[in-house]
Amino acid sequence: MLLKTLINTNELAILLGQPDVVVLDCRFYLTDHAKGKSEYDKGHIPGALFVDVHHELASVETAQTGRHPLPDEEVFSRQLQDWGIDVNSQVVVYDDMGGAIAARAWWMLSQQNIPVRVLNGGFPAWRKQGKDISVVSGVAKPISNQLKVSFPWAISEQAIVENLETHQFQLVDARAADRFNGENETIDPVAGHIPGAINRPFLDNLDPEGYFKPAEQLHVEWQDWLSNNGDDYVYYCGSGVTACHNVLALNYAGIEAKQVYVGSWSQWSKRMLRALTS
């Protein structure tokens, strides 16, 4: 079944202020973790709640994980309570990177059967179109009912290891081509990609203005990459964030996709480093 995907600025403007609507500002910058909140404070969509991607959509990195491991299920359930989100909510998530970051929140919430959509064009589109901007922090409306959270679409490192022998699924890497090819690795300890993976950079889902390409165009482009059913593919990136953008784009294009290797290259490269130094 296809997932809900995108919403445009005019549609969101109509929804703002309705009691069941929750808007999450997911702006995040890998090289400056404080910048997201700073940008939020300078201006955001009225009523939006700021999401600390590094802490609220991920748990603490360890020597065995990638850079953004999923949070504990009980912890994330309480986080949803604090945001006032349950299965009756209408959630909209946005960033300023064409959905590259917001897609992680979208993927996590979609697994809980929560209706959630990504703002197409994000905050730049909202601002460009002259919509109202607020500097007053959004106020969460916590709820008492707690969801039972699970992440059935998260693929483990062990599953990736086993797949090297069984070939049960095809890996698709969302990083830029240079990092995939091991030519410009400035973040993780080893350069390259997981053996057998193919490369579809998430930026290829967007037009030059930062909006998603038309669904019909994405469908044609992705069909050139996908030779089998969408469920035969697992998506990864550097740390399990932008891989979700490919999953989002596929559903928008009418092609089912759900599975993400959350550890991604940041976990796999640690595995390679251990092998090289043992």
Side-chain angles (χ1 to χ4, degrees):
M1 183 176 69
L2 292 172
L3 305 172
K4 294 180 181 294
T5 54
L6 303 180
I7 186 172
N8 65 41
T9 55
N10 290 332
E11 291 169 330
L12 175 56
I14 293 171
L15 291 179
L16 287 184
Q18 295 185 18
D20 60 341
V21 174
V22 180
V23 181
L24 302 179
D25 185 316
C26 300
R27 282 178 282 180
F28 173 75
Y29 308 89
L30 186 61
T31 58
D32 184 352
H33 292 172
K35 185 178 177 181
K37 182 59 163 60
S38 175
E39 291 299 307
Y40 171 86
D41 289 340
K42 291 177 185 176
H44 52 265
I45 294 174
L49 307 176
F50 177 71
V51 174
D52 187 330
V53 173
H54 200 59
H55 295 102
E56 294 172 337
L57 297 182
S59 61
V60 177
E61 179 183 3
T62 72
Q64 303 300 319
T65 71
R67 280 181 272 109
H68 292 109
L70 286 171
D72 175 83
E73 293 168 352
E74 186 70 20
V75 170
F76 191 60
S77 180
R78 290 195 297 270
Q79 182 64 70
L80 293 177
Q81 279 185 289
D82 291 344
W83 285 332
I85 293 174
D86 63 15
V87 293
N88 297 311
S89 303
Q90 296 186 70
V91 182
V92 177
V93 295
Y94 73 89
D95 57 32
D96 58 1
M97 296 183 181
I101 309 301
R104 166 75 171 229
W106 167 84
W107 180 76
M108 291 172 65
L109 292 170
S110 292
Q111 292 177 76
Q112 319 315 322
N113 294 315
I114 295 168
V116 54
R117 288 175 287 178
V118 175
L119 179 62
N120 195 11
F123 190 65
W126 184 268
R127 184 172 50 199
K128 181 178 180 180
Q129 293 172 23
K131 307 293 187 185
D132 289 343
I133 292 173
S134 176
V135 295
V136 178
S137 294
V139 178
K141 300 175 182 177
I143 54 177
S144 58
N145 49 315
Q146 187 172 6
L147 286 173
K148 184 173 177 57
V149 164
S150 64
F151 299 110
W153 306 339
I155 302 302
S156 68
E157 180 186 25
Q158 183 57 38
I160 303 300
V161 172
E162 294 172 357
N163 190 65
L164 295 178
E165 298 293 333
T166 61
H167 306 290
Q168 294 297 303
F169 51 79
Q170 171 66 58
L171 283 167
V172 182
D173 190 319
R175 295 175 300 160
D178 58 349
R179 286 189 68 204
F180 177 82
N181 292 325
E183 297 168 348
N184 185 30
E185 185 55 69
T186 61
I187 303 173
D188 293 310
V190 179
H193 59 266
I194 300 173
I198 58 176
N199 183 216
R200 164 74 184 198
F202 78 90
L203 285 173
D204 289 353
N205 299 321
L206 302 173
D207 68 17
E209 300 299 317
Y211 295 89
F212 277 79
K213 295 175 180 176
E216 298 79 6
Q217 180 180 348
L218 283 171
H219 187 93
V220 170
E221 291 181 5
W222 273 101
Q223 287 291 8
D224 288 341
W225 287 86
L226 306 180
S227 58
N228 301 306
N229 183 282
D231 286 339
D232 296 331
Y233 292 79
V234 171
Y235 304 87
Y236 81 94
C237 54
S239 66
V241 175
T242 59
C244 301
H245 197 277
N246 276 347
V247 174
L248 173 63
L250 281 157
N251 279 273
Y252 178 56
I255 302 170
E256 289 189 30
K258 295 182 175 72
Q259 300 179 113
V260 172
Y261 168 35
V262 177
S264 285
W265 182 250
S266 57
Q267 182 180 46
W268 194 261
S269 63
K270 289 179 182 178
R271 182 185 187 90
M272 293 182 63
L273 183 63
R274 289 194 298 271
L276 290 171
T277 57
S278 61

mmCIF file of all heavy atoms in Angstrom, residues 239-267:
data_model
loop_
_atom_site.group_PDB
_atom_site.id
_atom_site.type_symbol
_atom_site.label_atom_id
_atom_site.label_comp_id
_atom_site.label_asym_id
_atom_site.label_seq_id
_atom_site.Cartn_x
_atom_site.Cartn_y
_atom_site.Cartn_z
ATOM 1 N N SER A 239 23.717 7.986 7.083
ATOM 2 C CA SER A 239 23.330 7.666 8.462
ATOM 3 C C SER A 239 21.849 7.374 8.621
ATOM 4 O O SER A 239 21.302 7.540 9.702
ATOM 5 C CB SER A 239 23.730 8.821 9.390
ATOM 6 O OG SER A 239 22.979 9.989 9.092
ATOM 7 N N GLY A 240 21.183 6.964 7.542
ATOM 8 C CA GLY A 240 19.782 6.579 7.656
ATOM 9 C C GLY A 240 18.807 7.733 7.633
ATOM 10 O O GLY A 240 17.673 7.596 8.089
ATOM 11 N N VAL A 241 19.218 8.882 7.109
ATOM 12 C CA VAL A 241 18.334 10.044 7.027
ATOM 13 C C VAL A 241 17.889 10.269 5.581
ATOM 14 O O VAL A 241 16.715 10.144 5.255
ATOM 15 C CB VAL A 241 19.006 11.306 7.607
ATOM 16 C CG1 VAL A 241 18.117 12.534 7.411
ATOM 17 C CG2 VAL A 241 19.289 11.109 9.101
ATOM 18 N N THR A 242 18.818 10.594 4.686
ATOM 19 C CA THR A 242 18.420 10.904 3.308
ATOM 20 C C THR A 242 17.957 9.677 2.534
ATOM 21 O O THR A 242 17.296 9.816 1.499
ATOM 22 C CB THR A 242 19.556 11.606 2.546
ATOM 23 O OG1 THR A 242 20.718 10.771 2.517
ATOM 24 C CG2 THR A 242 19.899 12.933 3.196
ATOM 25 N N ALA A 243 18.263 8.477 3.011
ATOM 26 C CA ALA A 243 17.699 7.275 2.384
ATOM 27 C C ALA A 243 16.179 7.329 2.397
ATOM 28 O O ALA A 243 15.509 6.847 1.471
ATOM 29 C CB ALA A 243 18.183 6.024 3.117
ATOM 30 N N CYS A 244 15.628 7.942 3.446
ATOM 31 C CA CYS A 244 14.163 8.052 3.565
ATOM 32 C C CYS A 244 13.585 8.925 2.459
ATOM 33 O O CYS A 244 12.413 8.792 2.107
ATOM 34 C CB CYS A 244 13.802 8.608 4.937
ATOM 35 S SG CYS A 244 14.384 7.618 6.336
ATOM 36 N N HIS A 245 14.404 9.829 1.917
ATOM 37 C CA HIS A 245 13.960 10.689 0.818
ATOM 38 C C HIS A 245 13.665 9.850 -0.420
ATOM 39 O O HIS A 245 12.686 10.107 -1.137
ATOM 40 C CB HIS A 245 15.045 11.720 0.520
ATOM 41 C CG HIS A 245 14.589 12.897 -0.282
ATOM 42 N ND1 HIS A 245 14.505 12.871 -1.655
ATOM 43 C CD2 HIS A 245 14.202 14.139 0.102
ATOM 44 C CE1 HIS A 245 14.097 14.063 -2.092
ATOM 45 N NE2 HIS A 245 13.896 14.845 -1.049
ATOM 46 N N ASN A 246 14.498 8.840 -0.682
ATOM 47 C CA ASN A 246 14.221 7.957 -1.809
ATOM 48 C C ASN A 246 12.942 7.158 -1.588
ATOM 49 O O ASN A 246 12.159 6.947 -2.515
ATOM 50 C CB ASN A 246 15.400 7.012 -2.036
ATOM 51 C CG ASN A 246 16.503 7.648 -2.879
ATOM 52 O OD1 ASN A 246 16.299 8.701 -3.498
ATOM 53 N ND2 ASN A 246 17.668 7.021 -2.910
ATOM 54 N N VAL A 247 12.715 6.718 -0.358
ATOM 55 C CA VAL A 247 11.480 6.001 -0.040
ATOM 56 C C VAL A 247 10.275 6.923 -0.257
ATOM 57 O O VAL A 247 9.249 6.517 -0.819
ATOM 58 C CB VAL A 247 11.513 5.473 1.405
ATOM 59 C CG1 VAL A 247 10.175 4.852 1.802
ATOM 60 C CG2 VAL A 247 12.629 4.450 1.568
ATOM 61 N N LEU A 248 10.401 8.169 0.181
ATOM 62 C CA LEU A 248 9.335 9.152 -0.008
ATOM 63 C C LEU A 248 9.067 9.389 -1.489
ATOM 64 O O LEU A 248 7.905 9.377 -1.939
ATOM 65 C CB LEU A 248 9.743 10.462 0.676
ATOM 66 C CG LEU A 248 8.857 11.686 0.476
ATOM 67 C CD1 LEU A 248 7.472 11.461 1.052
ATOM 68 C CD2 LEU A 248 9.509 12.925 1.116
ATOM 69 N N ALA A 249 10.129 9.592 -2.257
ATOM 70 C CA ALA A 249 9.975 9.858 -3.687
ATOM 71 C C ALA A 249 9.313 8.695 -4.410
ATOM 72 O O ALA A 249 8.467 8.893 -5.296
ATOM 73 C CB ALA A 249 11.343 10.152 -4.308
ATOM 74 N N LEU A 250 9.688 7.484 -4.043
ATOM 75 C CA LEU A 250 9.100 6.311 -4.682
ATOM 76 C C LEU A 250 7.597 6.225 -4.420
ATOM 77 O O LEU A 250 6.805 5.970 -5.332
ATOM 78 C CB LEU A 250 9.804 5.049 -4.196
ATOM 79 C CG LEU A 250 11.147 4.780 -4.876
ATOM 80 C CD1 LEU A 250 12.022 3.889 -4.005
ATOM 81 C CD2 LEU A 250 10.925 4.136 -6.238
ATOM 82 N N ASN A 251 7.196 6.427 -3.177
ATOM 83 C CA ASN A 251 5.759 6.385 -2.869
ATOM 84 C C ASN A 251 5.009 7.495 -3.589
ATOM 85 O O ASN A 251 3.896 7.290 -4.080
ATOM 86 C CB ASN A 251 5.553 6.470 -1.358
ATOM 87 C CG ASN A 251 5.763 5.132 -0.663
ATOM 88 O OD1 ASN A 251 4.851 4.315 -0.550
ATOM 89 N ND2 ASN A 251 6.992 4.886 -0.218
ATOM 90 N N TYR A 252 5.616 8.666 -3.663
ATOM 91 C CA TYR A 252 5.011 9.768 -4.409
ATOM 92 C C TYR A 252 4.865 9.413 -5.881
ATOM 93 O O TYR A 252 3.888 9.790 -6.535
ATOM 94 C CB TYR A 252 5.876 11.016 -4.239
ATOM 95 C CG TYR A 252 5.393 12.230 -4.990
ATOM 96 C CD1 TYR A 252 4.117 12.733 -4.804
ATOM 97 C CD2 TYR A 252 6.241 12.887 -5.890
ATOM 98 C CE1 TYR A 252 3.681 13.859 -5.491
ATOM 99 C CE2 TYR A 252 5.824 14.017 -6.573
ATOM 100 C CZ TYR A 252 4.540 14.495 -6.377
ATOM 101 O OH TYR A 252 4.120 15.608 -7.055
ATOM 102 N N ALA A 253 5.825 8.635 -6.393
ATOM 103 C CA ALA A 253 5.801 8.226 -7.802
ATOM 104 C C ALA A 253 4.880 7.037 -8.053
ATOM 105 O O ALA A 253 4.761 6.583 -9.188
ATOM 106 C CB ALA A 253 7.214 7.886 -8.256
ATOM 107 N N GLY A 254 4.259 6.521 -6.992
ATOM 108 C CA GLY A 254 3.335 5.406 -7.157
ATOM 109 C C GLY A 254 3.988 4.043 -7.091
ATOM 110 O O GLY A 254 3.421 3.062 -7.556
ATOM 111 N N ILE A 255 5.177 3.983 -6.505
ATOM 112 C CA ILE A 255 5.917 2.723 -6.380
ATOM 113 C C ILE A 255 6.129 2.429 -4.901
ATOM 114 O O ILE A 255 6.684 3.252 -4.172
ATOM 115 C CB ILE A 255 7.284 2.814 -7.095
ATOM 116 C CG1 ILE A 255 7.097 3.148 -8.572
ATOM 117 C CG2 ILE A 255 8.060 1.509 -6.930
ATOM 118 C CD1 ILE A 255 8.392 3.490 -9.307
ATOM 119 N N GLU A 256 5.685 1.284 -4.450
ATOM 120 C CA GLU A 256 5.800 0.953 -3.034
ATOM 121 C C GLU A 256 7.257 0.798 -2.618
ATOM 122 O O GLU A 256 8.048 0.164 -3.311
ATOM 123 C CB GLU A 256 5.028 -0.338 -2.725
ATOM 124 C CG GLU A 256 3.526 -0.175 -2.793
ATOM 125 C CD GLU A 256 2.786 -1.403 -2.271
ATOM 126 O OE1 GLU A 256 3.322 -2.088 -1.384
ATOM 127 O OE2 GLU A 256 1.675 -1.662 -2.763
ATOM 128 N N ALA A 257 7.590 1.382 -1.479
ATOM 129 C CA ALA A 257 8.932 1.265 -0.893
ATOM 130 C C ALA A 257 8.805 1.596 0.581
ATOM 131 O O ALA A 257 8.037 2.479 0.960
ATOM 132 C CB ALA A 257 9.914 2.212 -1.577
ATOM 133 N N LYS A 258 9.567 0.902 1.406
ATOM 134 C CA LYS A 258 9.485 1.142 2.848
ATOM 135 C C LYS A 258 10.811 0.911 3.570
ATOM 136 O O LYS A 258 11.112 1.588 4.543
ATOM 137 C CB LYS A 258 8.432 0.230 3.496
ATOM 138 C CG LYS A 258 7.005 0.482 3.048
ATOM 139 C CD LYS A 258 6.049 -0.437 3.795
ATOM 140 C CE LYS A 258 4.595 -0.127 3.448
ATOM 141 N NZ LYS A 258 4.252 -0.550 2.082
ATOM 142 N N GLN A 259 11.629 -0.034 3.116
ATOM 143 C CA GLN A 259 12.727 -0.547 3.920
ATOM 144 C C GLN A 259 13.984 0.318 3.845
ATOM 145 O O GLN A 259 14.462 0.647 2.763
ATOM 146 C CB GLN A 259 13.065 -1.970 3.474
ATOM 147 C CG GLN A 259 11.887 -2.935 3.610
ATOM 148 C CD GLN A 259 12.230 -4.324 3.132
ATOM 149 O OE1 GLN A 259 12.290 -5.262 3.915
ATOM 150 N NE2 GLN A 259 12.463 -4.467 1.844
ATOM 151 N N VAL A 260 14.525 0.635 5.032
ATOM 152 C CA VAL A 260 15.741 1.442 5.141
ATOM 153 C C VAL A 260 16.734 0.732 6.061
ATOM 154 O O VAL A 260 16.368 0.266 7.145
ATOM 155 C CB VAL A 260 15.432 2.846 5.707
ATOM 156 C CG1 VAL A 260 16.723 3.605 6.011
ATOM 157 C CG2 VAL A 260 14.572 3.641 4.728
ATOM 158 N N TYR A 261 17.982 0.650 5.623
ATOM 159 C CA TYR A 261 19.061 0.196 6.487
ATOM 160 C C TYR A 261 19.519 1.424 7.263
ATOM 161 O O TYR A 261 20.262 2.261 6.756
ATOM 162 C CB TYR A 261 20.192 -0.403 5.650
ATOM 163 C CG TYR A 261 21.474 -0.656 6.405
ATOM 164 C CD1 TYR A 261 21.484 -1.057 7.745
ATOM 165 C CD2 TYR A 261 22.706 -0.482 5.775
ATOM 166 C CE1 TYR A 261 22.663 -1.271 8.434
ATOM 167 C CE2 TYR A 261 23.900 -0.699 6.446
ATOM 168 C CZ TYR A 261 23.866 -1.092 7.781
ATOM 169 O OH TYR A 261 25.044 -1.305 8.467
ATOM 170 N N VAL A 262 19.053 1.530 8.497
ATOM 171 C CA VAL A 262 19.251 2.750 9.273
ATOM 172 C C VAL A 262 20.725 2.991 9.593
ATOM 173 O O VAL A 262 21.212 4.129 9.572
ATOM 174 C CB VAL A 262 18.408 2.712 10.565
ATOM 175 C CG1 VAL A 262 18.664 3.954 11.405
ATOM 176 C CG2 VAL A 262 16.932 2.609 10.223
ATOM 177 N N GLY A 263 21.475 1.935 9.887
ATOM 178 C CA GLY A 263 22.901 2.110 10.171
ATOM 179 C C GLY A 263 23.651 2.726 9.017
ATOM 180 O O GLY A 263 24.579 3.519 9.199
ATOM 181 N N SER A 264 23.257 2.351 7.813
ATOM 182 C CA SER A 264 23.794 2.896 6.566
ATOM 183 C C SER A 264 25.328 2.870 6.526
ATOM 184 O O SER A 264 25.966 2.086 7.221
ATOM 185 C CB SER A 264 23.225 4.301 6.328
ATOM 186 O OG SER A 264 21.878 4.226 5.894
ATOM 187 N N TRP A 265 25.912 3.728 5.685
ATOM 188 C CA TRP A 265 27.353 3.658 5.486
ATOM 189 C C TRP A 265 28.124 3.991 6.759
ATOM 190 O O TRP A 265 29.214 3.466 6.991
ATOM 191 C CB TRP A 265 27.783 4.581 4.350
ATOM 192 C CG TRP A 265 29.257 4.494 4.103
ATOM 193 C CD1 TRP A 265 30.208 5.442 4.352
ATOM 194 C CD2 TRP A 265 29.961 3.355 3.587
ATOM 195 N NE1 TRP A 265 31.458 4.974 4.019
ATOM 196 C CE2 TRP A 265 31.331 3.691 3.546
ATOM 197 C CE3 TRP A 265 29.559 2.083 3.165
ATOM 198 C CZ2 TRP A 265 32.303 2.805 3.095
ATOM 199 C CZ3 TRP A 265 30.526 1.197 2.708
ATOM 200 C CH2 TRP A 265 31.877 1.554 2.684
ATOM 201 N N SER A 266 27.574 4.837 7.620
ATOM 202 C CA SER A 266 28.299 5.204 8.836
ATOM 203 C C SER A 266 28.486 4.002 9.757
ATOM 204 O O SER A 266 29.494 3.923 10.477
ATOM 205 C CB SER A 266 27.579 6.337 9.576
ATOM 206 O OG SER A 266 26.252 5.997 9.895
ATOM 207 N N GLN A 267 27.562 3.046 9.731
ATOM 208 C CA GLN A 267 27.750 1.812 10.502
ATOM 209 C C GLN A 267 28.618 0.821 9.733
ATOM 210 O O GLN A 267 29.535 0.213 10.296
ATOM 211 C CB GLN A 267 26.403 1.168 10.817
ATOM 212 C CG GLN A 267 26.511 -0.095 11.666
ATOM 213 C CD GLN A 267 25.165 -0.724 11.960
ATOM 214 O OE1 GLN A 267 24.321 -0.876 11.066
ATOM 215 N NE2 GLN A 267 24.950 -1.094 13.217
#
